[in-house]
């Protein structure tokens, strides 16, 4: 059945890995955790188990970041993952909750329209009118459900949520309870409950967290990849698994193309060429690994369906231009300048220059 799902949750996709980890895990597990903190970070970072089983890495980067995140969740403080868009905040949050609670679906998506009911509870109005306030008429939020089941609740894009609604989390995080005054009762959290929130560096101005709420979170910053090698590996791994999931009839992309895309992204992001010699302007959008992954993904689809199945520069040009030129006026200038001064002059990049030029005009 799961073969026809467009996207599986982490706990479904990696069920075997989680099972193997649980089997071999001899370390102490915090109450209600499915795995020990050590095994949780092995799930995230990958590694070989004593019985020879290979766990694939999900997060590629600094090991310490993941260890700090996991250690935080074993305390009574909640975890806030902060970073620029596309640095795997949501990704890490999903895998952490899958490994810790075996369930990554207790999720509140933060938007400007997120209401208090989405964090606390609402009412089934038909029942409320028929029976008056009762526990059966209560519509619980994912936060309440994870409190009752001792699981990790996920709050996505916390800073997009209006401040007064955000503050509904304060009681939950400090008292570990949610009062329901209408029923004269409260829901008390079971051990194992905690919260992982994600927020975007770039949107920070939108709804700054109150200091009362901020104090209840440990913040872990997810950086953009430190080295080209890391970034290439991220893109390569993700593209491979996306290609498998979408059943694209294309060859796995040549490492060379991925390297070129990553180089372009890193140079534009950093404002200087890889050799450190030429300064370049940076475009307005973020060029994170997530964008590189989608450029390669789109290229593979073009190559598979309209090309010869091999990823070539014509296939990635459209995606590249789309990723870089977010603002049609300013970014176009930046991009053209980069094409002319860097791409055109670089050894062996003529094909890419021509393909991009054709699309940019
Ligand atoms: N260090 C990394 N290791 C593994 N995968 C990564 C890494 N950085 C980015 N990715 C990949 O980038 C993609 C986007 O990540 P994700 O959606 O989690 O970003 P985000 O930080 O939540 O962004 P946003 O702020 O836009 O919500 C994922 O497919 C993820 O696999
Ligand atoms: Mg996200």
């Amino acid at each position: 059945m799961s073969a026809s799902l467009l996207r599986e949750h982490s706990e479904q996709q990696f069920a075997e890995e989680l099972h193997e980890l649980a089997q071999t895990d001899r370390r102490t597990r915090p109450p209600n955790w499915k795995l020990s903190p050590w095994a949780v970070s092995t799930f995230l970072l990958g590694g070989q188990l004593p019985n020879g089983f290979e766990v694939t890495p999900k997060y590629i980067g600094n090991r310490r970041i993941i260890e700090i995140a996991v250690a935080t969740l074993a305390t009574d403080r909640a975890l806030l993952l902060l970073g620029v868009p596309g640095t795997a905040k949501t990704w890490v949050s999903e895998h952490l909750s899958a490994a810790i609670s075996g369930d990554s679906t207790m999720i509140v998506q933060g938007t400007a329209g997120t209401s208090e009911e989405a964090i606390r509870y609402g009412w089934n109005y038909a029942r409320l009118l028929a029976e008056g306030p009762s526990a059966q008429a209560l519509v619980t939020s994912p936060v309440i459900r994870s409190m009752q089941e001792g699981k990790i609740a996920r709050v996505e894009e916390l800073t997009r949520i209006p401040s007064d609604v955000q503050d509904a989390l304060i009681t939950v995080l400090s008292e570990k309870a949610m009062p329901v005054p209408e029923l004269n009762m409260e829901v008390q959290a079971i051990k194992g409950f905690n919260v992982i929130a994600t927020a975007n560096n770039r949107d920070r101005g939108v709804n700054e967290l109150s200091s009362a709420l901020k104090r209840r979170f440990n913040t872990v910053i997810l950086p953009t990849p430190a080295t080209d090698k890391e970034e290439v590996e991220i893109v390569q791994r993700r593209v491979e698994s996306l290609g498998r999931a979408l059943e694209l009839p294309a060859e796995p992309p040549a490492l060379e193309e991925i390297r070129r895309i990553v180089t372009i992204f890193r140079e534009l992001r950093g404002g200087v060429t890889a050799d450190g010699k030429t300064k370049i302007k940076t475009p307005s959008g973020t060029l994170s690994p997530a964008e590189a992954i989608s450029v390669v993904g789109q290229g593979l689809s073009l190559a598979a369906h309209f090309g010869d199945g091999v990823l070539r520069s014509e296939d990635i040009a459209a995606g590249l231009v789309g990723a870089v030129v977010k603002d049609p006026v300013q970014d176009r200038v930046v991009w053209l300048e980069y094409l002319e001064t860097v791409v055109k002059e670089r050894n062996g990049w003529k094909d890419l220059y021509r393909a991009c030029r054709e699309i940019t005009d």
Side-chain angles (χ1 to χ4, degrees):
M1 183 199 79
S2 65
S4 61
L5 290 179
L6 182 55
R7 183 182 187 279
E8 292 178 308
H9 297 301
S10 168
E11 61 274 23
Q12 299 171 312
Q13 191 184 351
F14 298 106
E16 191 191 359
E17 290 190 4
L18 291 170
H19 175 79
E20 288 291 332
L21 276 164
Q23 291 293 307
T24 50
D25 188 12
R26 298 274 168 274
R27 301 177 194 231
T28 35
R29 305 176 190 187
N32 258 329
W33 280 36
K34 300 268 187 225
L35 297 173
S36 69
W38 175 84
V40 172
S41 54
T42 307
F43 179 66
L44 266 288
L45 297 158
Q48 198 177 41
L49 301 184
N51 62 6
F53 186 87
E54 275 292 334
V55 179
T56 56
K58 322 289 177 302
Y59 180 77
I60 293 157
N62 189 342
R63 156 172 294 271
R64 199 67 187 154
I65 289 179
I66 298 296
E67 289 174 352
I68 293 169
V70 176
T72 296
L73 289 168
T75 68
D76 64 346
R77 291 174 61 89
L79 173 66
L80 175 63
L81 297 172
L82 202 65
V84 295
T87 43
K89 301 180 294 295
T90 304
W91 180 250
V92 167
S93 149
E94 176 182 359
H95 290 299
L96 282 177
S97 41
I100 293 172
S101 307
D103 185 353
S104 61
T105 63
M106 300 290 187
I107 179 166
V108 176
Q109 180 63 50
T111 67
T114 301
S115 63
E116 238 181 79
E117 282 96 80
I119 292 182
R120 300 176 60 193
Y121 51 87
W123 296 98
N124 174 334
Y125 286 102
R127 285 196 102 144
L128 188 63
L129 288 176
E131 303 164 10
S134 68
Q136 287 73 37
L138 208 62
V139 180
T140 53
S141 68
V143 178
I144 293 207
R145 263 172 282 136
S146 26
M147 292 170 81
Q148 288 168 329
E149 296 172 29
K151 290 181 173 172
I152 301 285
R154 298 170 53 199
V155 181
E156 280 290 312
E157 306 289 356
L158 180 60
T159 46
R160 296 231 176 108
I161 302 180
S163 311
D164 51 326
V165 179
Q166 281 177 12
D167 282 349
L169 279 174
I170 294 181
T171 330
V172 173
L173 293 180
S174 52
E175 308 295 323
K176 314 291 181 202
M178 175 97 71
V180 187
E182 295 90 337
L183 299 180
N184 194 19
M185 61 167 248
E186 64 172 8
V187 176
Q188 279 184 295
I190 297 213
K191 284 185 180 173
F193 167 74
N194 209 334
V195 173
I196 304 178
T198 66
N200 213 302
N201 267 352
R202 291 236 164 162
D203 297 343
R204 193 156 44 183
V206 179
N207 289 303
E208 189 72 72
L209 300 190
S210 68
S211 49
L213 188 56
K214 214 181 272 168
R215 275 200 303 111
R216 282 157 180 97
F217 280 102
N218 276 353
T219 304
V220 169
I221 295 186
L222 296 185
T224 49
T227 61
D228 319 21
K229 200 168 145 268
E230 238 173 60
E231 195 158 349
V232 168
E233 192 184 342
I234 294 169
V235 177
Q236 200 184 10
R237 279 185 182 279
R238 289 295 296 143
V239 166
E240 264 172 31
S241 71
L242 284 176
R244 247 180 285 127
L246 298 175
E247 300 178 32
L248 281 177
E251 285 179 30
L255 202 53
E256 236 4 82
E257 289 304 341
I258 296 185
R259 282 218 184 94
R260 291 210 282 195
I261 294 170
V262 166
T263 307
I264 293 173
F265 276 29
R266 292 183 73 85
E267 291 185 331
L268 285 171
R269 196 159 68 211
V272 62
T273 51
D275 57 12
K277 286 195 184 132
T278 316
K279 278 215 156 139
I280 47 192
K281 299 200 186 88
T282 49
S284 63
T286 20
L287 294 171
S288 67
E291 276 81 35
I293 293 165
S294 68
V295 170
V296 181
Q298 183 187 359
L300 275 184
S301 177
L302 276 171
H305 300 300
F306 299 104
D308 59 2
V310 179
L311 188 69
R312 300 185 194 284
S313 46
E314 305 89 89
D315 304 316
I316 56 173
L320 261 182
V321 177
V324 177
V325 183
K326 289 275 164 15
D327 173 319
V329 183
Q330 279 170 11
D331 290 343
R332 190 165 176 278
V333 175
V334 173
W335 174 239
L336 282 176
E337 195 177 307
Y338 180 74
L339 273 183
E340 294 302 328
T341 53
V342 182
V343 180
K344 191 178 180 185
E345 306 301 328
R346 199 163 272 166
N347 251 342
W349 281 37
K350 274 274 174 305
D351 58 324
L352 187 60
Y353 171 74
R354 256 181 266 117
C356 290
R357 243 358 276 225
E358 234 166 71
I359 294 231
T360 316
D361 282 336

